[in-house]
């Protein structure tokens, strides 16, 4: 295994966990970090023992605060063109296995774009909807937990308004602030923001550089769930472990079909889905899954 210095990469059972690890620079995406990230992600994608990936950021403050401005500041057009800066990032969106972004703190610029390259986003925040299948991962509401007072660091939203009282460092914040630097998003931000948020809010955020709270990101469908920061990683790993328990080829087919909804017409997407649905009947895992259901047993998928 390759040694990494800007990320960490470890197997947690059947889950490949990648942590962006430059907390002092708020996990800014230097070319070295991006190269290591895509190397580690591709390695997990090829590892038969791994069924799903989780991507997160080290430290309390950030998932990733964007491309590394220090590295970029002196570049000219031909430097960017010739080096094809961030080309490797495209590999994250092309993985066959699901990758979940566990977003703690700032996800800005390239950091927001990286999170949006993942298959879905769990965000650290203060809304405590029950975990759909892991009730033990649903903590006490931050507003009612006896150990939490309005002065506790976990208490960030007023019960009546749900508006931030004092934004916590580990609460997810999303934005594309490139406009403030005299540039624009370059890793998919204008496209994926627009698809996720709709034109109006995407345009406003890209043109103002304003940040969006985890709560708003949830309301607008950018993130799938908001989880207290303390249980974010456990939740992401539990969710990835659940997915990893299913058939890898079938999971890949399901992912392909959902992604097709964003890249094709409805008619084409429906056609692809129907053909791929039929194709699952060519796998052993479909027989295993349906037989186990009828026998009231737990299926043991063979990933074939
Ligand atoms: N690149 C390089 N270093 C960064 C960085 C970045 N994107 N973001 C933060 N850092 C560094 C800071 O320079 C600082 O380093 P020093 O201690 O050496 O000064 C350290 O991380 C801590 O940051 P701050 O002191 O600024 O922390 P803060 O709490 O005051 O502010 C912040 C936090 C609002 C996120 C602020 O750091 C910030 O605005 N960062 C830049 C965000 C940004 O503009 N991102 C877009 C980058 S461009 C891009 O991503 C293009 C693309 O689409 C590919």
């Amino acid at each position: 295994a390759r040694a990494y210095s800007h990320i960490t990469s470890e197997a947690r059972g059947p889950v490949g966990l990648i942590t962006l690890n430059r907390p002092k620079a708020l996990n800014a995406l230097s070319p070295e970090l991006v190269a290591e990230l895509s190397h580690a992600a591709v390695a997990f994608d090829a590892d038969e023992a791994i069924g799903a990936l989780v991507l997160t950021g080290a430290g309390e403050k950030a998932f990733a605060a964007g491309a590394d401005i220090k590295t970029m500041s002196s570049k000219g057009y031909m430097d960017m063109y010739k080096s094809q800066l961030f080309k490797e990032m495209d590999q994250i969106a092309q993985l066959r296995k699901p990758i979940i972004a566990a977003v703690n703190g700032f996800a800005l610029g390239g950091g927001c774009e990286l999170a949006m390259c993942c298959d879905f986003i769990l965000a650290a925040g203060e809304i405590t909807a029950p975990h759909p299948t892991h009730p033990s991962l649903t903590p006490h509401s931050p507003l009612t937990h006896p150990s939490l007072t309005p002065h506790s660091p976990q208490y960030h939203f007023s019960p009546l308004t749900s508006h931030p009282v004092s934004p916590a460092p580990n609460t997810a914040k999303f934005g594309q602030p490139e406009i403030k630097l005299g540039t624009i998003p370059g890793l998919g931000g204008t496209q994926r923001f627009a698809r996720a948020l709709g034109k109006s809010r995407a345009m406003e955020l890209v043109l103002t550089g304003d940040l969006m709270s985890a709560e708003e990101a949830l309301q607008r469908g950018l993130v799938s769930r908001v989880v207290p920061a303390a249980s974010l990683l456990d939740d992401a790993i539990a969710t990835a472990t659940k997915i990893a328990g299913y058939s890898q080829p079938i999971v890949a087919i399901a992912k392909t079909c959902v992604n097709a909804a964003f890249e094709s017409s409805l008619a084409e997407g429906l056609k692809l889905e129907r053909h791929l649905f039929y194709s699952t009947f060519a796998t052993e895992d479909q027989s295993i899954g349906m037989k186990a259901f009828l026998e009231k047993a737990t299926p043991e998928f063979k990933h074939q």
Side-chain angles (χ1 to χ4, degrees), residues 24-26 28 61 65 67-70 108 110 113 178 181 185-187:
K24 282 186 185 147
L26 304 188
K61 271 182 78 175
D68 192 313
I69 301 168
K70 280 174 197 153
L108 305 184
E113 294 168 299
E178 288 89 344
L181 301 168
L187 303 177

Side-chain angles (χ1 to χ4, degrees), residues 168-179:
N170 52 16
T171 297
K173 289 164 275 288
F174 299 89
Q176 298 290 158
E178 288 89 344
I179 201 88

Side-chain angles (χ1 to χ4, degrees), residues 250 253 275-284 286-287 290:
I250 304 299
I253 288 173
H275 281 300
L276 287 179
F277 166 62
Y278 293 157
S279 82
T280 63
F281 287 74
T283 67
E284 215 178 318
Q286 171 271 330
S287 316
M290 293 194 181

Side-chain angles (χ1 to χ4, degrees), residues 39-59:
H39 184 274
V42 168
F44 279 138
D45 208 33
D47 183 344
E48 287 184 8
I50 296 295
L53 285 71
V54 169
L55 176 63
T56 195

